Amino acid sequence: MALLTKESQEKVVRLIVDEGLADAEAVLAAEEEAKKAKQPVLSFLTNKKLVSDDIVSHASAIVLGMQYVDLKNVKIEQEVLLNLPQDIAERNMAVPVAEGKDGRLVIAMLDAGNIQAVDYLSTLIQKPIRTVVTSEEGVRETLAQYKSDFSSVKQAVKQTNEEIEIANEKSDVKTITQDSPISKALNTILNYAAKSKASDIHIEPLEKKLIIRCRVDGVLRQIMELPKTIEPALVSRIKILSNLKIDEHRIPQDGQFTVAVADKEIDLRIAISPVVWGEQVVIRLLDKNGTAMEIEKMGMTGRALRDVIEGISKPNGMILTSGPTGSGKSTTLYALVAKIKNEAINIVTLEDPVEYKMDGINQIQVNVDAGLTFASGLRSILRQDPDVVMVGEIRDSETAGLAVQAALTGHLVFSTLHTNSAAGILPRLLDMGIEPFLLASTLNTVIGQRLVRRVAEKREQRKSSELETKMINDSVGNLLPRTADMVAKAGQILGYQGLPVANTSGYTLVDGIDTKETPGGYLGRAGLYETITVDEDIQKLIINHSTSAEIMNLAKKKGTVTMRQDGILKALSGITTLEEVNRVSSDLA
């Protein structure tokens, strides 16, 4: 809404009423209320929905004698948008819309009559501009068209390359990293990743260029290319922030630092490794506020949820979760700890690294260089009178043995292992030298998990193909309700909403609509889970050194829903797609 004097606002109100765009009596009453509330009358009218923001902006343009443009559903070229960095555009609610024939840049603004703002923008972009009036909705739709806020990166690259030439003459690259252009470039990349809810940033050097990729919802996608010349300055800047050795290029280095994005702090874990064409940097973003710490919200339901609740309700024993790197194991442990946390028990964790800081929990960071390993730390923890112990990962026989001893002596122990399935945990621990009878008597529940992308809210339905129908029937046909009367009961038992009746003709599936905000039609992730409760029958198999396949077959007979079955049921419930289930669990059928 353009910045108007009180007199101009009154003219806008009269114009709106005279043109029959709003009810005269309602506007008159609103004017009286606005005076009492000491609010601008135009803002009051739009807040009360007596008139649209678009109409007010259009009328304001007429009163100011300026041109009005409707930007809704208008596509602006990226080359035009990049004349004004996105953060500046958002701050001033002003967007570039076209290059004028007279050489001026046309900028659409809410406060097009604000001379100071216009002068500031003209000085900033170093070219003459012509302003037009538009609505707030139009500005926001145009802001959404920015592919990314990388215009500042390009400017930083240009300035840094100039500085590199100067620095090369002095043979000193370190001075470059302290200057603002490269810092702004790094900040822009970090901000983009945080706003995109990326879990990782990959900075990868090639022979003639530098690639930046982000992992969003578990899938890597390239977001930009940088010239090879920027690599030393960018990597050095990251090393400085992470307190790493800036002149060490031969061995891997790990570090961390914290950044503030959108009024919240995000912890960054840095891993730098020498590769053929330079140094690769992988940055993991840990945002506690952006992570659901409730096991139900993560996708665990039905039999799996009941098994886990039963396992963590016991006073002692072990609850172990398994899966590959990035499958959400640590987040599951945090959610389980949060579920049992209360002031009556002492919970101590041993982690590498401490990913999420939690109140009321005593968290210990592993420090191998100082001699604090999982094994030595676990010994120390058991002398701190804990009720519950969480070990970030069981990596070796010594840690496994200590965790079992802790469970035997009355502690509830949570930990993770790298195996392909829940049943794979049992033979893995036996391979680590744990006696079968000890394992059988200490394990409460084992969990296998993967992460799949959730289908976005904007979606469309389709009927399953013949091949998909066969796959669904082969995998979960025996779990689906046989008649419509059984749907509610089956949903209650299995924990899924909207399950279809089993049939051979086809099922209704959903696909997300691909947009900028929901790439591929996905937004967010959900877990696929399988759980095994270690009862007397499973204990006998462990003692007899049975294979993971034999253990899983018995668990399925007892009602365990496998990860693949869980995924297909979630696809039928509209949570994910069969393609996602196949992507993460094709080897687990």
Side-chain angles (χ1 to χ4, degrees):
M1 190 179 302
L3 184 65
L4 298 170
T5 64
K6 184 178 179 180
E7 182 182 355
S8 296
Q9 288 198 52
E10 290 175 355
K11 289 181 180 179
V12 172
V13 173
R14 298 284 73 81
L15 178 61
I16 291 172
V17 172
D18 292 344
E19 292 294 326
L21 300 172
D23 182 73
E25 291 184 7
V27 169
L28 183 62
E31 284 184 294
E32 293 300 323
E33 286 186 59
K35 287 178 183 178
K36 291 178 182 178
K38 296 183 179 180
Q39 292 184 11
V41 63
L42 293 179
S43 298
F44 199 83
L45 289 174
T46 54
N47 291 338
K48 289 287 186 179
K49 301 190 184 305
L50 294 175
V51 64
S52 71
D53 178 66
D54 192 55
I55 289 174
V56 170
S57 297
H58 202 158
S60 299
I62 294 172
V63 169
L64 291 171
M66 302 184 72
Q67 182 183 350
Y68 174 83
V69 294
D70 185 357
L71 292 179
K72 294 192 294 295
N73 302 318
V74 175
K75 177 71 175 175
I76 309 297
E77 296 295 330
Q78 285 293 314
E79 290 76 12
V80 175
L81 290 175
L82 290 178
N83 280 291
L84 192 64
Q86 188 176 0
D87 58 337
I88 303 295
E90 286 179 330
R91 197 178 308 142
N92 292 274
M93 291 305 287
V95 289
V97 293
E99 295 275 4
K101 294 181 179 179
D102 57 358
R104 296 187 173 208
L105 179 67
V106 180
I107 292 186
M109 301 176 63
L110 297 190
D111 288 346
N114 188 335
I115 298 174
Q116 288 182 328
V118 173
D119 287 344
Y120 165 72
L121 294 175
S122 181
T123 303
L124 179 71
I125 63 180
Q126 292 295 299
K127 64 170 62 175
I129 65 176
R130 180 167 65 87
T131 57
V132 295
V133 178
T134 191
S135 65
E136 181 177 352
E137 185 180 355
V139 171
R140 295 202 181 279
E141 281 199 18
T142 305
L143 286 171
Q145 294 182 38
Y146 278 82
K147 286 185 178 177
S148 59
D149 184 14
F150 291 143
S151 54
S152 58
V153 176
K154 294 179 180 179
Q155 181 63 25
V157 168
K158 181 180 177 182
Q159 293 182 40
T160 304
N161 282 336
E162 294 171 356
E163 293 174 357
I164 287 172
E165 293 178 6
I166 298 172
N168 284 339
E169 296 175 5
K170 301 177 181 179
S171 300
D172 182 13
V173 177
K174 293 181 185 179
T175 57
I176 300 172
T177 63
Q178 299 291 353
D179 289 331
S180 59
I182 198 63
S183 298
K184 288 181 179 178
L186 178 59
N187 288 340
T188 300
I189 293 169
L190 294 176
N191 272 292
Y192 175 81
K195 289 178 181 178
S196 302
K197 296 184 179 179
S199 60
D200 301 88
I201 303 170
H202 289 234
I203 301 174
E204 302 169 344
L206 302 181
E207 183 178 7
K208 297 180 180 178
K209 59 186 176 183
L210 193 66
I211 299 297
I212 311 293
R213 296 197 291 171
C214 284
R215 188 180 296 279
V216 180
D217 292 337
V219 178
L220 275 171
R221 62 173 65 94
Q222 182 174 318
I223 60 171
M224 68 182 306
E225 286 184 12
L226 293 175
K228 183 72 172 176
T229 51
I230 203 77
E231 180 195 341
L234 185 59
V235 174
S236 294
R237 182 61 186 159
I238 293 170
K239 286 182 177 180
I240 289 171
L241 292 171
S242 310
N243 292 319
L244 301 178
K245 296 178 180 178
I246 194 172
D247 54 352
E248 178 58 75
H249 308 287
R250 300 166 300 169
I251 60 174
Q253 297 189 75
D254 296 328
Q256 64 183 63
F257 64 95
T258 302
V259 294
V261 178
D263 298 325
K264 60 183 178 181
E265 287 192 344
I266 295 179
D267 291 333
L268 306 177
R269 299 288 184 266
I270 313 300
I272 301 178
S273 300
V275 293
V276 174
W277 301 114
E279 289 181 280
Q280 180 189 31
V281 181
V282 177
I283 304 174
R284 171 152 289 188
L285 293 84
L286 302 172
D287 177 13
K288 178 181 176 182
N289 296 322
T291 303
M293 288 296 179
E294 295 180 32
I295 197 71
E296 295 88 350
K297 290 183 179 179
M298 292 161 56
M300 188 176 287
T301 186
R303 170 65 183 267
L305 182 60
R306 292 192 293 272
D307 285 350
V308 168
I309 296 299
E310 181 183 343
I312 65 176
S313 299
K314 295 178 180 178
N316 59 280
M318 296 176 68
I319 291 91
L320 302 179
T321 179
S322 68
T325 300
S327 61
K329 300 187 300 296
S330 296
T331 306
T332 296
L333 290 189
Y334 281 111
L336 296 180
V337 167
K339 202 164 190 68
I340 64 170
K341 182 183 73 169
N342 67 67
E343 62 180 16
I345 59 175
N346 178 25
I347 303 175
V348 185
T349 75
L350 188 64
E351 307 169 59
D352 184 23
V354 175
E355 294 190 6
Y356 304 109
K357 298 176 180 65
M358 299 179 68
D359 293 333
I361 308 294
N362 300 301
Q363 296 173 277
I364 300 173
Q365 168 74 54
V366 166
N367 188 338
V368 177
D369 293 337
L372 179 56
T373 62
F374 277 115
S376 64
L378 190 48
R379 284 196 187 90
S380 173
I381 284 176
L382 297 178
R383 293 192 290 271
Q384 296 176 21
D385 186 32
D387 297 291
V388 179
V389 176
M390 185 183 107
V391 182
E393 184 181 348
I394 294 178
R395 295 178 179 174
D396 51 52
S397 301
E398 187 178 8
T399 307
L402 288 167
V404 169
Q405 290 299 321
L408 281 171
T409 53
H411 303 91
L412 189 61
V413 179
F414 297 92
S415 193
T416 69
L417 279 90
H418 283 274
T419 62
N420 280 330
S421 63
I425 289 177
L426 308 172
R428 176 79 178 115
L429 288 171
L430 293 175
D431 289 341
M432 287 184 172
I434 305 300
E435 292 293 339
F437 68 91
L438 291 177
L439 195 57
S441 59
T442 55
L443 275 175
N444 293 348
T445 310
V446 291
I447 306 166
Q449 68 180 82
R450 296 289 190 278
L451 290 176
V452 291
R453 291 179 290 175
R454 289 180 183 268
V455 178
E457 287 187 12
K458 291 183 178 179
R459 55 179 63 188
E460 51 192 14
Q461 294 184 341
R462 66 176 178 86
K463 190 174 181 180
S464 60
S465 66
E466 186 177 340
L467 187 61
E468 288 172 332
T469 302
K470 183 178 185 305
M471 181 185 74
I472 293 169
N473 285 325
D474 289 347
S475 298
V476 299
N478 61 319
L479 299 177
L480 294 175
R482 294 296 170 186
T483 64
D485 295 337
M486 299 172 64
V487 168
K489 186 176 180 181
Q492 186 177 7
I493 294 172
L494 293 171
Y496 306 90
Q497 298 297 319
L499 286 179
V501 175
N503 64 70
T504 56
S505 61
Y507 298 91
T508 299
L509 302 173
V510 296
D511 291 319
I513 297 174
D514 187 15
T515 67
K516 180 188 173 185
E517 293 76 23
T518 58
Y522 299 100
L523 183 63
R525 288 193 286 179
L528 305 186
Y529 299 94
E530 62 185 18
T531 59
I532 299 175
T533 296
V534 182
D535 58 13
E536 289 185 6
D537 294 328
I538 299 293
Q539 286 177 351
K540 290 177 184 177
L541 292 183
I542 295 172
I543 292 171
N544 292 329
H545 288 264
S546 299
T547 65
S548 58
E550 290 170 331
I551 293 170
M552 180 52 81
N553 285 335
L554 178 58
K556 285 197 286 187
K557 289 178 183 178
K558 288 176 170 288
T560 288
V561 176
T562 68
M563 273 186 278
R564 184 166 180 78
Q565 289 175 326
D566 186 30
I568 293 173
L569 290 171
K570 282 185 166 73
L572 291 173
S573 300
I575 295 171
T576 188
T577 63
L578 291 179
E579 289 78 11
E580 273 295 286
V581 176
N582 288 331
R583 181 176 68 86
V584 303
S585 65
S586 58
D587 58 328
L588 305 172

